[in-house]
Amino acid sequence: MCTASKNVLFLLQARKSWIEDMLFKRECVKFIPSSRDLHRCNPVCQVCQNLIRCCCGRLMGEHSWQESIAPISLCPGPEQDVEEDWSIELHTKASPTNAYGTIDFQDTAARVCRAKVCEPLNYYARVAVDTKAELLLQLMLREWQMERPKLLLIVQGGSENFTLPPKVKQAFSKGLITAARSTGAWILTDGINTGVSRYVGDAVKTYGGHNLRKRNTVGISPWGVIDNNTDLIGRDVFRPYQPLGNPLSKRSRLNGFHSHFILVDDGTLGKHGCQQGLRRRLEKHIQLQKIHPRLNHGVPVVCVVVEGGPAIVSTVLDYVSSVPPVPVFVFEGSGRAADLLAFLHKQTAVDRQLDTDIKEDFLVRIGDVFGVEREEVLQLYNLLLQCMDHRESITIFDSESDDQMAPDAAILTATLKGTKASPADQLSMALGWDRADIAKKNILVCGQQWQVGSLEQAMLDALVMDRVSFVKLLIDNGMTMSCFLTVDRLEELYNTSHGQTNRFLHHLVEDAKQSSLPVGYRLTLIDMGLVIEYLIGAAYRSTYTRKNFRAAYRTKIKDRRYESSASLSKQRQGIIPTSGTSRNLQDLHFFRTAQPYKIKGEPDASETDTSHSSSREKAVTPGLDDAPLLVPFNFNDLFVWAVLQQRQQMALFLWQHGEEALARATVACKLYRSMAFEARQSSMDDNIAERLKGYSLEFGQLAVDVLDCAFRQNEQMAMKLLTSEMEEWSHFTCLQMAVSSCNRSFVSHSCTQTLLTDLWTGSLNWRKNSFLKITLSLLLPPVIFLLEFKSKAEMCHVPQSHEAMLFGRDSGKSVPAHNRTNYKGTQDAEQGVSFHNKRLGPVSETISSITMQCLSWITMLYEFYTAPVVKFWFHTMSYLAFLMLFSYVVLVKMEDHPSIQEWLVIAYILSTAVEKTREVLMSEPRNLSQKLKVWFSEYWNISDFTAILLFLAALALRWNADPYKTAGRISYCLDIIFWFVRVMDLLAVNQHAGPYLTMITKMTSNMFFIVVMMAIVLLSFGVSRKAILSPEEEPSWSLARDIVFQPYWMIYGEVYASDIDACENDKPCPPAAFVTPFLQAVYMFFQYIIMVNVLIAFFNNVYFDMASTSNKLWKYNRYRYIMTYQEKPWLPPPFILFSHMTLGLKAIYKRLTGDAEREERCSGLSEY
């Protein structure tokens, strides 16, 4: 038996034992005749046994005499002077229930088969009338697995069949079921197939939906009045039941559209009303339960009245006069008691007393409706007037009126108003129901008075409960994230128990911290910062992990501990009361600092600009006057929380608020993609990884849509949007984040490709014959001055480095900086010319024009050689020359000392090694291990690393004598393979060759398992063949070669025909040599015919799959090529060492002058 089956069996046994231990039935154990005037025979004759009934409603023969002895005579004994009255306590005995299980209604949509894979519906249980309400609720929640109610809808009305007007029926049916489904309510009825319960069943059938498990419609019926109740006897049984019975029968049938039945047994048979007391106790107990674990309000209860007899008036009075009152919702026009309540409610709206004539007519109407005498009419009238004393708890719904709201909204509104709850409690109820429309119309209205902090608590509850509509409603009513979000609230949100999502988040924290978390560990914002950095990777720095945030966070924790300890000591000393403990520090909003690092003694250039905003922040943040410029939490923090908590709908809503929609879409795409990868690596449920991947694709498409919309409106601004640094997101750019998240649609978009093309060509303005122009310019530098360059306006959307800003194309049109600052001439206000320029005259203009011309030439040279396309061709030509030199070195005889050509090769490879080292050190990650991890994640870097190491080993060997020198030469010969293969990466830049290279890469990476299967077949044949043909082989390493050598070449058609028959040419024939031709035939068929063709078919499939997307993949990979040459120095190896020296001197100069810090503080276009 499988583990799952054992678990199911264990649960069924546990449920069976609990029900039989805790639930009971009632049986009459003493026969007390209901009439003693007839058949006073002694002993009891057969006629008495078949005609005389006990007070419980059963015949003598229907009693069980296991616990007592059957009476001999119906006459009272000599000691019984007074006839004994029958009672439940004295004359019934409780015993474990013998009727519970599942009903299969034969003619309704609720009919289900008892399958192993699905849990059956329509549960029922026979319970004693004195069963505790706590046990019934446990039965419904734990044993029947019903969802906790957020609203209890009690339906009261006529028990006999009656006809409802069509409009009233539609309003009742649709309103009741819509209110129940939208709020997660339970509906309580009598459960029988007559009267109002039947209309409830019809409503469930029409509007209940297809999910039967959501139909929490509970029928509480008397066991003794259920027709054929003996058919339901059995423990944990599955009973078929026919809801259509004999129309002449006085008993009732169960309604098949109720999901659960509580059959109340008081030991009687055929007597109604025993369920009312238990039902009322259950209602009160449910009312004490919490509507949601986060909310302190109990489950709201509302009574819906449809038609009804005289008993309904007493029931309504009981509801509205209870404490707290239960709202009553009356459907006017349904008949009898409901219409009487509606009439009196309207007539006493102004004056609580009826006029004499109206009163008399109303009394006559009561008598006609109920068919009772004058005395009982007056009693009913007094009961109705008492109901009107609580008229604020009674709501009349007129379905004929055009001014009425929707019936479901009317029921919920009546529930809110009838409970007399405070606005905060009403908001909690609406929040538990997830009915923002009710809150908007009845609670969050003008003039409503709110306690301090109640709306903030409602927002926190809405976020935790994932109520998107309520979050939107509260934001629309003025709730701001900067005032709402604090460290405590954010941490409470992250520590919200959310099942599997919460466990997955803890796993991410453990992976980020590289340590296991203790049980009950509370996540902090610093932990979340580590998780965000872990998921995004690269050089991303979360705000939560920065030094200033950590320092402020630790200070807050220390202050909180100090305050709590101080307040506790004061409480113990009686200085302050416990209820009035001050929490000013916790109520203060915790802010993130955005003040950049500043060298001591250095004046802040932005001090004057930010003084106003700083004072404003201090004004709204009391107690933090000594803090630097502060920025509050915003929608981004809440948005990241929604993403990490996998609350997609909440994340989509928060994405629409705040700024940087494109940035947040790309960030969410990256976070979800990384989370999907982590879920897949952690061997979690595949559905989680697929769901996270779907979320990532959804945000990726949103990013593409936003980019497309921006590009259609303004192309240059859209391209600036791609490369603009996102200050809120660690100064990353949208393009960087999209590439990191593998959003190919985003990178292959026309906007992105246009930007990449502009980055590729730099300031060069050409469209045709670029290769010829670049080659000619590289060979003849004076040709550069004949080329056409782009203007500054055309390059405004392209990110520029600091040097490019200095050598801008339009810089010659403005006066250099030293000419503007090194004189103190006074400006002539009328002419606009300084006195200094007047004295220089035409000589100054001549010198200035010559200087500008020289600067223009220098700018042309700089822009030409720093263009990535020029760098590419310059490096490519240098690389091809290197390959020719290396080929010459390995083809000719190696001398004892390196030749000039070999020295050039050595210089090229060593300078390449230096460049690779610079790439690692200058990469985005912060520590060296992450830098190496990111760098080695690319295949070509691994190839370069292997080629350089192999060359260095060969270079060390070639200086020695033979055989080391020969080994070094052979290593040269092997090493050149890696350098030739490297040419493939150069071809990837080409628009036509690039897609084919992408296909080859895909084929190579996906053929692993097929090759493994082919290797298994090869080894199985090779080992058996070698063992049979060479039974006396000595141990040697050549065995490994002989096992693989010939079987491998057989894959390509070389069958070695001369070796098929080992006994040919009078050779010694080893034992069982005849088996090898058969094995070779099977091997050739399987390997050559099946496996090779499978591999070809696989390649075919990959080709056709990639053919449609290869262009998009090439566009995506194009980013890497362009960024590689964007960052690469313009001089190729071995001259690249001069560029390295220049970069080193420049870095030292910036560090000494402080320019590095100023550049880090600058925000603008990224240099990548």
Side-chain angles (χ1 to χ4, degrees):
M1 184 180 294
C2 64
T3 305
S5 301
K6 291 181 179 179
N7 293 336
V8 172
L9 181 60
F10 175 77
L11 292 174
L12 291 176
Q13 292 176 349
R15 184 177 72 179
K16 178 179 179 181
S17 62
W18 184 90
I19 292 178
E20 294 182 6
D21 290 342
M22 304 306 296
L23 301 182
F24 298 89
K25 64 177 181 177
R26 284 274 177 185
E27 289 185 336
C28 181
V29 294
K30 186 173 183 179
F31 187 86
I32 297 179
S34 58
S35 175
R36 299 186 182 183
D37 296 332
L38 301 175
H39 299 281
R40 293 177 175 266
C41 52
N42 189 11
V44 179
C45 65
Q46 189 68 28
V47 176
C48 294
Q49 294 183 6
N50 294 330
L51 292 179
I52 304 300
R53 291 187 177 273
C54 176
C55 290
C56 69
R58 294 181 176 85
L59 298 172
M60 182 180 295
E62 295 175 343
H63 281 67
S64 175
W65 303 112
Q66 297 178 0
E67 303 291 338
S68 61
I69 302 175
I72 299 175
S73 174
L74 297 179
C75 298
E79 298 179 356
Q80 297 177 346
D81 298 334
V82 182
E83 294 183 357
E84 186 178 4
D85 292 331
W86 188 91
S87 66
I88 297 175
E89 295 79 8
L90 297 177
H91 302 122
T92 62
K93 183 178 180 58
S95 59
T97 183
N98 64 344
Y100 65 92
T102 309
I103 304 177
D104 180 17
F105 289 93
Q106 297 296 302
D107 65 339
T108 67
R111 181 183 180 185
V112 292
C113 62
R114 189 168 191 172
K116 295 181 180 180
V117 296
C118 63
E119 195 173 348
L121 302 172
N122 299 105
Y123 294 106
Y124 75 95
R126 176 185 181 183
V127 300
V129 69
D130 55 351
T131 303
K132 293 182 179 180
E134 296 86 348
L135 296 178
L136 292 179
L137 186 61
Q138 187 175 355
L139 169 70
M140 301 164 79
L141 294 178
R142 196 182 76 173
E143 308 302 328
W144 290 346
Q145 298 295 314
M146 295 177 66
E147 296 181 359
R148 286 188 172 273
K150 301 179 180 64
L151 174 65
L152 188 62
L153 294 170
I154 305 168
V155 181
Q156 296 282 2
S159 58
E160 301 296 331
N161 287 325
F162 58 89
T163 302
L164 279 179
K167 284 190 176 182
V168 178
K169 180 181 178 181
Q170 183 181 8
F172 167 73
S173 301
K174 188 175 182 179
L176 182 71
I177 302 304
T178 304
R181 292 185 62 188
S182 63
T183 60
W186 287 3
I187 302 175
L188 293 188
T189 72
D190 287 336
I192 58 178
N193 203 27
T194 58
V196 70
S197 299
R198 182 172 184 176
Y199 280 110
V200 172
D202 294 342
V204 172
K205 176 182 177 181
T206 306
Y207 301 102
H210 300 290
N211 191 353
L212 298 179
R213 297 180 186 274
K214 299 296 183 181
R215 300 179 180 181
N216 294 321
T217 310
V218 183
I220 303 179
S221 310
W223 168 264
V225 301
I226 302 301
D227 197 11
N228 294 332
N229 55 12
T230 55
D231 295 342
L232 302 177
I233 294 178
R235 292 178 172 86
D236 194 22
V237 292
F238 184 77
R239 296 299 192 196
Y241 190 84
Q242 178 59 255
L244 299 178
N246 185 1
L248 300 179
S249 175
K250 294 182 179 180
R251 296 193 184 184
S252 303
R253 309 288 293 188
L254 296 176
N255 184 269
F257 291 97
H258 285 62
S259 58
H260 305 81
F261 294 94
I262 297 176
L263 306 179
V264 184
D265 186 11
D266 64 344
T268 63
L269 184 67
K271 296 185 178 182
H272 294 268
C274 68
Q275 81 279 13
Q276 296 299 333
L278 183 141
R279 175 174 173 176
R280 190 71 182 103
R281 295 198 308 271
L282 178 60
E283 293 167 1
K284 290 181 178 180
H285 185 69
I286 293 176
Q287 194 173 7
L288 298 177
Q289 309 304 308
K290 285 187 177 182
I291 191 173
H292 190 274
R294 281 197 58 86
L295 305 176
N296 295 325
H297 198 278
V299 176
V301 179
V302 61
C303 175
V304 179
V305 176
V306 179
E307 211 247 2
I312 294 300
V313 179
S314 300
T315 302
V316 170
L317 179 59
D318 179 43
Y319 281 129
V320 297
S321 60
S322 61
V323 180
V326 175
V328 174
F329 189 85
V330 181
F331 275 92
E332 184 180 3
S334 59
R336 298 210 297 172
D339 288 352
L340 292 176
L341 285 167
F343 175 80
L344 191 59
H345 190 276
K346 290 181 179 179
Q347 292 297 325
T348 59
V350 179
D351 188 2
R352 295 302 178 94
Q353 299 296 327
L354 292 177
D355 295 336
T356 305
D357 53 345
I358 298 178
K359 178 181 177 180
E360 289 300 324
D361 293 341
F362 185 64
L363 292 175
V364 173
R365 183 178 178 184
I366 294 175
D368 294 340
V369 167
F370 294 129
V372 294
E373 299 297 331
R374 181 72 178 183
E375 183 178 355
E376 193 170 353
V377 167
L378 292 176
Q379 293 178 357
L380 289 174
Y381 175 71
N382 291 328
L383 291 177
L384 289 170
L385 287 181
Q386 293 178 34
C387 292
M388 293 306 109
D389 293 337
H390 308 276
R391 59 182 301 106
E392 64 276 1
S393 297
I394 300 177
T395 302
I396 308 300
F397 183 83
D398 184 6
S399 56
E400 301 288 341
S401 176
D402 297 332
D403 300 332
Q404 287 284 5
M405 63 179 74
D408 62 306
I411 292 174
L412 299 179
T413 302
T415 306
L416 291 176
K417 295 181 178 180
T419 54
K420 300 180 181 179
S422 64
D425 290 338
Q426 292 184 11
L427 187 59
S428 296
M429 284 190 283
L431 185 59
W433 301 335
D434 195 14
R435 290 295 299 263
D437 57 328
I438 302 297
K440 181 179 180 180
K441 189 172 183 180
N442 300 285
I443 305 173
L444 294 172
V445 294
C446 295
Q448 190 73 271
Q449 298 295 325
W450 295 94
Q451 294 180 357
V452 177
S454 56
L455 289 181
E456 285 78 5
Q457 183 61 38
M459 172 63 85
L460 186 63
D461 294 336
L463 290 170
V464 172
M465 297 165 65
D466 202 20
R467 303 288 198 248
V468 179
S469 57
F470 269 87
V471 174
K472 180 179 184 302
L473 179 62
L474 290 171
I475 291 175
D476 292 343
N477 280 270
M479 179 69 67
T480 58
M481 289 300 107
S482 59
C483 295
F484 166 73
L485 282 181
T486 63
V487 167
D488 295 333
R489 286 175 181 154
L490 263 180
E491 289 188 347
E492 183 176 353
L493 290 173
Y494 277 113
N495 285 279
T496 301
S497 179
H498 204 248
Q500 203 167 17
T501 301
N502 194 256
R503 293 195 298 271
F504 179 58
L505 192 57
H506 276 72
H507 292 328
L508 291 178
V509 174
E510 290 178 344
D511 293 339
K513 300 179 71 171
Q514 296 296 316
S515 62
S516 58
L517 301 179
V519 178
Y521 179 80
R522 182 174 176 82
L523 301 178
T524 65
L525 288 186
I526 297 177
D527 295 335
M528 293 302 100
L530 294 174
V531 169
I532 295 169
E533 292 178 357
Y534 177 75
L535 293 175
I536 296 181
Y540 188 87
R541 288 295 307 275
S542 173
T543 307
Y544 305 149
T545 59
R546 296 185 183 273
K547 291 182 179 179
N548 42 26
F549 183 89
R550 288 174 179 266
Y553 184 83
R554 294 191 186 99
T555 302
K556 178 178 176 63
I557 297 301
K558 290 179 181 178
D559 291 345
R560 183 192 303 170
R561 292 175 180 172
Y562 173 78
E563 182 190 0
S564 60
S565 61
S567 61
L568 181 61
S569 62
K570 290 182 180 180
Q571 290 172 17
R572 291 176 178 175
Q573 297 172 9
I575 298 176
I576 57 174
T578 304
S579 60
T581 302
S582 175
R583 298 186 61 187
N584 292 335
L585 202 68
Q586 294 186 19
D587 292 338
L588 291 179
H589 301 303
F590 188 65
F591 292 92
R592 300 182 307 197
T593 177
Q595 183 72 17
Y597 173 79
K598 183 172 65 174
I599 300 177
K600 293 182 179 180
E602 180 183 346
D604 191 353
S606 61
E607 185 175 357
T608 57
D609 296 333
T610 60
S611 59
H612 176 70
S613 59
S614 178
S615 61
R616 181 189 59 186
E617 294 291 346
K618 291 180 181 180
V620 300
T621 315
L624 294 177
D625 295 334
D626 298 332
L629 179 64
L630 299 172
V631 177
F633 291 112
N634 53 32
F635 277 102
N636 292 339
D637 301 277
L638 208 55
F639 174 73
V640 171
W641 164 81
V643 171
L644 293 179
Q645 288 282 334
Q646 304 176 31
R647 305 190 180 204
Q648 179 69 349
Q649 295 304 317
M650 184 68 73
L652 289 171
F653 166 73
L654 294 172
W655 172 78
Q656 302 173 16
H657 287 75
E659 301 176 351
E660 300 178 339
L662 182 62
R664 282 187 289 175
T666 55
V667 169
C669 180
K670 172 61 178 176
L671 288 175
Y672 273 134
R673 184 178 181 85
S674 299
M675 290 166 67
F677 175 79
E678 292 295 328
R680 200 175 295 110
Q681 291 294 109
S682 301
S683 301
M684 299 186 71
D685 188 0
D686 292 339
N687 294 331
I688 297 177
E690 291 300 322
R691 186 177 71 248
L692 292 172
K693 184 179 179 181
Y695 294 163
S696 176
L697 294 176
E698 187 172 0
F699 270 106
Q701 186 59 45
L702 283 175
V704 174
D705 295 341
V706 172
L707 180 63
D708 184 67
C709 181
F711 187 65
R712 280 189 274 106
Q713 292 182 4
N714 192 320
E715 296 184 3
Q716 287 194 346
M717 290 303 296
M719 286 186 279
K720 284 185 178 181
L721 193 62
L722 285 176
T723 57
S724 178
E725 288 183 345
M726 303 178 292
E727 188 174 357
E728 292 286 334
W729 307 103
S730 187
H731 294 278
F732 268 48
T733 65
C734 295
L735 185 55
Q736 281 178 299
M737 201 67 72
V739 172
S740 177
S741 60
C742 299
N743 192 347
R744 297 188 179 94
S745 299
F746 188 94
V747 180
S748 61
H749 191 270
S750 301
C751 178
T752 310
Q753 291 301 308
T754 303
L755 175 64
L756 292 178
T757 301
D758 291 339
L759 285 171
W760 180 242
T761 58
S763 298
L764 300 176
N765 189 11
W766 57 38
R767 290 177 296 176
K768 298 179 181 179
N769 303 321
S770 59
F771 169 69
L772 295 177
K773 292 179 181 179
I774 292 175
T775 305
L776 187 61
S777 300
L778 290 174
L779 298 177
L780 298 174
V783 178
I784 297 174
F785 303 115
L786 302 178
L787 299 177
E788 184 180 356
F789 291 82
K790 298 175 184 176
S791 65
K792 185 177 181 180
E794 294 174 317
M795 292 291 293
C796 65
H797 62 278
V798 179
Q800 300 290 325
S801 64
H802 183 64
E803 291 78 6
M805 299 290 285
L806 294 178
F807 289 101
R809 285 293 304 153
D810 295 339
S811 60
K813 299 179 182 180
S814 61
V815 182
H818 66 275
N819 287 339
R820 294 199 304 265
T821 59
N822 290 343
Y823 65 89
K824 298 182 180 179
T826 57
Q827 188 75 15
D828 191 338
E830 296 180 359
Q831 299 179 4
V833 182
S834 67
F835 174 75
H836 179 79
N837 289 338
K838 288 181 180 179
R839 291 183 59 189
L840 291 178
V843 178
S844 176
E845 295 180 0
T846 304
I847 296 175
S848 178
S849 62
I850 296 174
T851 304
M852 292 302 103
Q853 186 64 39
C854 294
L855 285 175
S856 177
W857 291 340
I858 295 174
T859 301
M860 288 182 180
L861 292 174
Y862 176 84
E863 291 179 345
F864 175 79
Y865 284 106
T866 56
V869 62
V870 176
K871 292 181 186 179
F872 169 77
W873 285 112
F874 202 0
H875 283 259
T876 300
M877 293 167 62
S878 174
Y879 191 79
L880 295 177
F882 155 74
L883 286 180
M884 289 189 291
L885 287 175
F886 203 0
S887 301
Y888 173 81
V889 170
V890 298
L891 290 174
V892 301
K893 178 182 178 181
M894 179 178 285
E895 302 294 340
D896 294 336
H897 297 282
S899 61
I900 297 176
Q901 293 84 357
E902 188 174 352
W903 278 116
L904 290 174
V905 171
I906 294 171
Y908 188 96
I909 294 180
L910 291 179
S911 59
T912 301
V914 175
E915 169 61 16
K916 295 298 177 182
T917 304
R918 185 199 68 83
E919 289 181 3
V920 173
L921 296 178
M922 296 299 292
S923 58
E924 293 179 341
R926 297 188 300 276
N927 54 55
L928 184 60
S929 61
Q930 290 180 341
K931 291 176 183 290
L932 292 174
K933 182 179 179 180
V934 172
W935 193 79
F936 278 111
S937 63
E938 190 175 340
Y939 167 76
W940 292 114
N941 289 334
I942 299 176
S943 176
D944 293 342
F945 179 77
T946 306
I948 292 171
L949 279 185
L950 184 59
F951 180 83
L952 293 177
L955 182 61
L957 292 173
R958 66 101 52 228
W959 293 101
N960 301 300
D962 287 330
Y964 297 104
K965 180 180 177 180
T966 304
R969 184 180 180 279
I970 295 174
S971 298
Y972 272 0
C973 299
L974 297 177
D975 186 59
I976 198 174
I977 297 174
F978 291 95
W979 298 104
F980 267 107
V981 171
R982 195 67 168 82
V983 179
M984 299 284 287
D985 190 40
L986 302 178
L987 294 176
V989 179
N990 186 268
Q991 186 175 2
H992 303 288
Y996 289 107
L997 185 62
T998 305
M999 292 181 185
I1000 294 172
T1001 304
K1002 186 73 172 178
M1003 292 177 182
T1004 306
S1005 61
N1006 289 354
M1007 65 181 286
F1008 173 76
F1009 292 105
I1010 296 180
V1011 172
V1012 169
M1013 289 186 284
M1014 295 178 69
I1016 292 172
V1017 175
L1018 185 148
L1019 290 174
S1020 62
F1021 168 69
V1023 171
S1024 60
R1025 177 176 178 271
K1026 180 63 178 177
I1028 293 174
L1029 296 180
S1030 303
E1032 299 178 356
E1033 191 75 23
E1034 295 294 330
S1036 65
W1037 288 106
S1038 62
L1039 284 174
R1041 181 201 63 189
D1042 296 340
I1043 289 172
V1044 179
F1045 187 77
Q1046 289 189 358
Y1048 176 77
W1049 296 113
M1050 289 179 186
I1051 297 176
Y1052 305 103
E1054 177 59 57
V1055 296
Y1056 296 97
S1058 59
D1059 297 337
I1060 293 178
D1061 189 359
C1063 301
E1064 281 185 338
N1065 302 327
D1066 299 329
K1067 293 181 181 179
C1069 189
F1074 64 91
V1075 179
T1076 57
F1078 173 75
L1079 292 178
Q1080 184 170 345
V1082 174
Y1083 169 74
M1084 291 294 295
F1085 174 79
F1086 193 87
Q1087 190 80 298
Y1088 188 73
I1089 303 298
I1090 297 179
M1091 296 304 296
V1092 172
N1093 281 282
V1094 167
L1095 186 62
I1096 294 173
F1098 170 76
F1099 285 159
N1100 231 1
N1101 188 36
V1102 171
Y1103 176 83
F1104 285 113
D1105 287 344
M1106 296 287 292
S1108 58
T1109 61
S1110 59
N1111 190 46
K1112 181 183 293 186
L1113 289 174
W1114 172 79
K1115 290 180 178 179
Y1116 172 78
N1117 294 328
R1118 185 175 176 231
Y1119 172 85
R1120 179 181 66 85
Y1121 308 133
I1122 294 177
M1123 291 304 105
T1124 299
Y1125 286 97
Q1126 178 84 3
E1127 299 171 350
K1128 191 183 290 290
W1130 67 278
L1131 285 175
F1135 308 106
I1136 199 172
L1137 294 175
F1138 295 108
S1139 297
H1140 293 161
M1141 294 171 60
T1142 304
L1143 291 174
L1145 293 174
K1146 191 183 301 180
I1148 294 173
Y1149 174 77
K1150 289 182 178 179
R1151 183 64 60 182
L1152 293 175
T1153 58
D1155 288 344
E1157 286 80 2
R1158 281 194 290 269
E1159 284 188 7
E1160 289 179 1
R1161 293 199 298 265
C1162 291
S1163 173
L1165 295 180
S1166 175
E1167 192 186 346
Y1168 298 100

